[in-house]
Amino acid sequence: MIGLYPEFLRQTTPSKGGFFDALKDVTGLDPLPFSCARAALVYGLRALGFNRMDEILVPPFLGQCVLSALARTAFPAMTPSRRTKGVLVVHQFGYRQALDSIEREAAKNGWVVLNDCAHTLFSSYEGEAVLAWGDFSVASFSKLYPCVLGGALFSRRAEMIQTVREHQAGLNSGHAHWVETAYEVLERVKRDPQMPGMEFEIDAVYGYLPNLVAFPPKAFAGLPSTKTEILEDIARRKKLLNLIQSYFPTSVLRRPGSDVVPFAVPVSGEAAVLERISARIRERFLLDVPVLHFDFACNMLNPDYRQALMIGCHQSWTEEMVMKMCEYIKGELT
Amino acid sequence: MIGLYPEFLRQTTPSKGGFFDALKDVTGLDPLPFSCARAALVYGLRALGFNRMDEILVPPFLGQCVLSALARTAFPAMTPSRRTKGVLVVHQFGYRQALDSIEREAAKNGWVVLNDCAHTLFSSYEGEAVLAWGDFSVASFSKLYPCVLGGALFSRRAEMIQTVREHQAGLNSGHAHWVETAYEVLERVKRDPQMPGMEFEIDAVYGYLPNLVAFPPKAFAGLPSTKTEILEDIARRKKLLNLIQSYFPTSVLRRPGSDVVPFAVPVSGEAAVLERISARIRERFLLDVPVLHFDFACNMLNPDYRQALMIGCHQSWTEEMVMKMCEYIKGELT
């Protein structure tokens, strides 16, 4: 079964390193490595002085593990109130949110803009990387690459980066051990998803990851190590998006002014029909194309959540496979 | 150092059992054992059909681990909105909240009442146990007794208890193993609070506890096993409360119509003065009397949070020790 998230690497290749330099080359931004995007979020919020009485406006359908991470040092909320101090903008699946209008609203209310690029590492808007937007950004590499774990924080606010670095420096070396343990558990879970107690193993790891600053060295094995590799993967993703768009010109969202580098491609349709198609694709093609909520308005302040078939884009999704599947979906949707 | 929470038992006594029968005898209510209050909360909310788009109104200053548990199956919020479906009423330190007015507001808005008795197992209001109030109640035994872990769910809604029991029955026996592991980790942390990686061990346990239904059998060693033992502990706590009240008649809250069985006794004062007293008591008496937020209005819908010195009441707090400490506090407060 090929899933939405990248597979782990069955053959362990030696760690190549070079990823962060290549990433800096591609994005023009300086990444501060973290165990995962959630930890980057927690340490970023701490550096900005957030505390548990400060509400952060979040979109609905946010995963429990992100909510739980936010609650370490702030208070996530779905409705703005007088306590709102920040807004978490999640660009789903590679699709940028309405940056201009959210930025206006944030400026009007004095909200800090937390730019959640967990799904959206390389998309751009009017020629600028989405990653460069907001007060600080967090990235999750395991959404795009078979690296199991790993994230980063980015910010153009130099004094904030300085504070995060100071917090990191005061931490003990135990972090390296714990992030290695976390990596091994999550890799084992991917290797054997039926393993007994799996859900508790994951809950335990998700319990401590938000406090871990260390990046797992083993993750380098699943990450690209050169600028060329990163650019080739970006080109491949965009090609798949164009392909899917050519099958479903009205069901796949277009974002004018944006260059979308997808983590996955949402195809809209009637919920019950999508669920039926998803189940059949699972049986017939051994592909996991889940039905998930996607904000077709791409504006968390005025969203339009509808269910969509989510087609994966990582390196296991070949062009041929996606074409066959799209033919099938097309037959079922019409 | 004697802390706010009960010590663990340094000598392991054989598990006595009998606690749940005795508890039923004292409260007149049928406890459904759980690993902890957070798990009882999660399974209770699931039985009532809560999902992550349903907001639950919570008081401020709620611990991150409770927020994280609630987020498993609902969405905690500090401000009521059109999404609010329930209200979590936390009776702090043994002091009942304003049951009548909260119940009226809940009825008006159609909110489910989640009765958080983690601190307040035996207090009553107008002759009735606080525990009997609301749609369902959760209890945490480690707040009162040196049992490390253990909680329960109570409800007079028979169909709800039936649903919880059905959910429990479908779960695998792995729960017993994991709750035993959790118990051992938390006991080790209590035994050696300086142990390296302690915070990550706790984060891991807190990560999976909210999903564990099993009650840890080892906890019985730290729990009373007869009705008499429970009643003696209640009498001892009330005596300590009266004693502290006699020293600070205007700084310790009185709750007319209520019988308060304290987990700890809040003494009000000016924040800076309290912090100084707390630090000195720590040095001079080796007692941990922290400064915490307490809602002196006991009404989460219209609260009056102020800092208070929290004096513990568990079995390590002897009358003599509390008297000496109160003498000292009195001298410093005036």
Side-chain angles (χ1 to χ4, degrees):
Chain A
M1 178 75 71
I2 294 178
L4 200 57
Y5 291 86
E7 315 289 289
F8 72 105
L9 297 172
R10 282 182 191 272
Q11 285 132 1
T12 304
T13 53
S15 289
K16 292 165 291 176
F19 171 67
F20 285 107
D21 286 339
L23 185 63
K24 189 176 170 182
D25 246 20
V26 173
T27 61
L29 295 159
D30 220 351
L32 201 55
F34 270 93
S35 67
C36 60
R38 282 156 285 158
L41 206 47
V42 170
Y43 282 86
L45 287 168
R46 280 190 193 142
L48 294 179
F50 273 74
N51 71 54
R52 60 182 178 167
M53 296 300 285
D54 297 328
E55 287 187 358
I56 294 172
L57 193 61
V58 300
F61 307 110
L62 198 60
Q64 184 269 325
C65 66
V66 183
L67 292 177
S68 167
L70 287 170
R72 304 281 161 137
T73 189
F75 194 102
M78 285 196 286
T79 315
S81 84
R82 62 183 171 81
R83 288 197 184 90
T84 308
K85 296 277 162 57
V87 57
L88 181 79
V89 185
V90 180
H91 311 284
Q92 290 180 290
F93 307 111
Y95 288 79
R96 68 158 176 91
Q97 284 270 301
L99 305 188
D100 296 334
S101 61
I102 294 173
E103 192 166 270
R104 264 197 308 276
E105 196 65 17
K108 203 178 81 187
N109 295 287
W111 297 339
V112 166
V113 173
L114 317 170
N115 189 25
D116 186 335
C117 291
H119 290 186
T120 302
L121 196 53
F122 298 116
S123 298
S124 62
Y125 172 52
E126 291 179 349
E128 205 175 351
V130 173
L131 199 61
W133 186 67
D135 288 273
F136 73 94
S137 307
V138 300
S140 174
F141 306 125
S142 59
K143 304 295 186 297
L144 297 188
Y145 306 118
C147 58
V148 180
L149 200 59
L153 183 150
F154 301 80
S155 178
R156 288 189 292 199
R157 289 178 60 171
E159 83 294 355
M160 182 203 161
I161 290 293
Q162 185 53 29
T163 310
V164 177
R165 281 191 199 278
E166 280 162 18
H167 288 180
Q168 283 184 326
L171 295 165
N172 68 55
S173 58
H175 283 236
H177 162 73
W178 282 86
V179 82
E180 194 171 328
T181 307
Y183 181 93
E184 282 163 9
V185 169
L186 296 179
E187 199 194 18
R188 204 160 67 230
V189 166
K190 281 180 181 271
R191 210 173 280 276
D192 177 13
Q194 306 302 319
M195 136 184 143
M198 185 202 68
E199 66 276 32
F200 301 125
E201 296 268 10
I202 296 175
D203 278 349
V205 168
Y206 283 8
Y208 63 78
L209 271 180
N211 278 328
L212 282 181
V213 296
F215 185 86
K218 281 187 180 160
F220 285 118
L223 285 166
S225 58
T226 63
K227 183 174 178 178
T228 309
E229 279 178 73
I230 292 179
L231 293 176
E232 278 171 4
D233 181 64
I234 290 174
R236 204 185 45 71
R237 287 173 186 272
K238 286 165 69 174
K239 203 168 166 195
L240 282 183
L241 172 59
N242 284 333
L243 180 67
I244 300 167
Q245 220 149 25
S246 72
Y247 279 93
F248 311 105
T250 57
S251 311
V252 173
L253 186 69
R254 285 171 197 276
R255 294 294 281 145
S258 278
D259 193 28
V260 175
V261 180
F263 153 44
V265 179
V267 179
S268 68
E270 207 210 307
V273 176
L274 297 181
E275 289 289 0
R276 201 189 59 222
I277 294 174
S278 174
R280 293 214 180 140
I281 290 176
R282 176 174 278 271
E283 282 167 32
R284 183 186 287 224
F285 297 94
L286 290 177
L287 297 172
D288 183 25
V289 177
V291 178
L292 299 175
H293 282 94
F294 177 69
D295 173 12
F296 279 90
C298 290
N299 183 355
M300 67 179 287
L301 300 178
N302 190 17
D304 173 23
Y305 279 98
R306 278 179 281 137
Q307 281 164 300
L309 267 185
M310 295 303 318
I311 302 178
C313 287
H314 60 76
Q315 58 188 22
S316 303
W317 292 83
T318 64
E319 212 172 312
E320 198 197 335
M321 182 191 290
V322 172
M323 279 173 75
K324 275 192 193 155
M325 190 187 61
C326 284
E327 298 275 0
Y328 176 77
I329 298 174
K330 198 167 181 174
E332 294 291 308
L333 267 184
T334 48
Chain B
M1 179 76 70
I2 294 178
L4 199 58
Y5 291 87
E7 315 289 288
F8 71 104
L9 297 173
R10 283 184 188 269
Q11 285 131 3
T12 303
T13 54
S15 289
K16 292 166 292 177
F19 171 68
F20 286 107
D21 286 339
L23 185 63
K24 189 177 171 182
D25 246 20
V26 173
T27 61
L29 295 159
D30 221 351
L32 202 55
F34 270 93
S35 67
C36 60
R38 281 156 285 159
L41 206 47
V42 170
Y43 282 87
L45 287 168
R46 280 190 192 142
L48 293 179
F50 273 73
N51 71 55
R52 60 181 177 168
M53 296 300 284
D54 296 329
E55 287 186 358
I56 294 172
L57 192 61
V58 301
F61 308 109
L62 198 60
Q64 184 269 326
C65 66
V66 183
L67 292 178
S68 166
L70 287 170
R72 304 281 161 138
T73 189
F75 194 100
M78 285 196 285
T79 316
S81 84
R82 61 184 171 79
R83 286 196 184 91
T84 309
K85 295 278 162 58
V87 58
L88 180 79
V89 185
V90 180
H91 312 284
Q92 289 180 290
F93 307 111
Y95 289 78
R96 67 160 177 90
Q97 284 269 301
L99 305 187
D100 297 335
S101 61
I102 294 172
E103 192 166 271
R104 264 197 309 276
E105 196 65 18
K108 203 179 81 186
N109 294 289
W111 297 339
V112 166
V113 174
L114 317 170
N115 189 25
D116 186 335
C117 291
H119 290 186
T120 303
L121 196 53
F122 298 116
S123 299
S124 63
Y125 172 52
E126 291 179 349
E128 206 176 349
V130 173
L131 200 61
W133 187 68
D135 288 90
F136 73 93
S137 306
V138 299
S140 174
F141 306 125
S142 59
K143 304 294 186 297
L144 297 188
Y145 306 118
C147 58
V148 181
L149 201 59
L153 183 150
F154 301 81
S155 178
R156 289 189 292 198
R157 290 177 60 171
E159 83 294 354
M160 183 206 160
I161 291 291
Q162 185 54 30
T163 310
V164 177
R165 282 191 199 279
E166 280 162 17
H167 288 180
Q168 283 184 326
L171 295 166
N172 68 56
S173 58
H175 284 237
H177 162 72
W178 281 86
V179 82
E180 193 171 327
T181 306
Y183 181 93
E184 282 162 9
V185 169
L186 296 179
E187 200 194 17
R188 203 160 67 231
V189 166
K190 280 177 181 273
R191 211 174 280 277
D192 178 13
Q194 306 303 320
M195 133 184 146
M198 186 203 68
E199 67 277 33
F200 302 125
E201 296 268 8
I202 297 176
D203 277 350
V205 167
Y206 284 9
Y208 63 78
L209 271 180
N211 277 328
L212 282 181
V213 297
F215 185 86
K218 282 186 181 161
F220 285 118
L223 286 166
S225 59
T226 64
K227 184 175 176 177
T228 309
E229 279 179 72
I230 292 179
L231 293 177
E232 279 170 3
D233 181 65
I234 291 174
R236 203 184 45 71
R237 287 172 186 274
K238 287 165 69 174
K239 204 168 165 194
L240 281 182
L241 171 58
N242 284 333
L243 180 66
I244 299 167
Q245 221 149 26
S246 72
Y247 278 94
F248 311 105
T250 58
S251 311
V252 173
L253 187 69
R254 284 171 196 278
R255 294 294 281 145
S258 279
D259 193 27
V260 175
V261 180
F263 153 43
V265 179
V267 179
S268 69
E270 208 211 306
V273 176
L274 298 181
E275 289 289 1
R276 202 190 56 221
I277 295 174
S278 173
R280 293 214 181 143
I281 290 176
R282 176 174 278 271
E283 281 166 31
R284 181 186 288 225
F285 298 94
L286 289 178
L287 297 173
D288 183 26
V289 177
V291 178
L292 299 175
H293 282 93
F294 177 70
D295 173 11
F296 279 89
C298 290
N299 183 355
M300 67 179 289
L301 300 179
N302 190 17
D304 172 23
Y305 279 98
R306 278 180 279 138
Q307 280 164 301
L309 266 185
M310 296 302 317
I311 303 178
C313 287
H314 59 76
Q315 58 189 20
S316 303
W317 292 83
T318 65
E319 212 171 313
E320 199 197 336
M321 182 191 289
V322 171
M323 279 172 76
K324 274 193 195 153
M325 191 186 61
C326 284
E327 298 275 1
Y328 176 76
I329 298 174
K330 199 169 181 173
E332 294 292 308
L333 267 184
T334 48

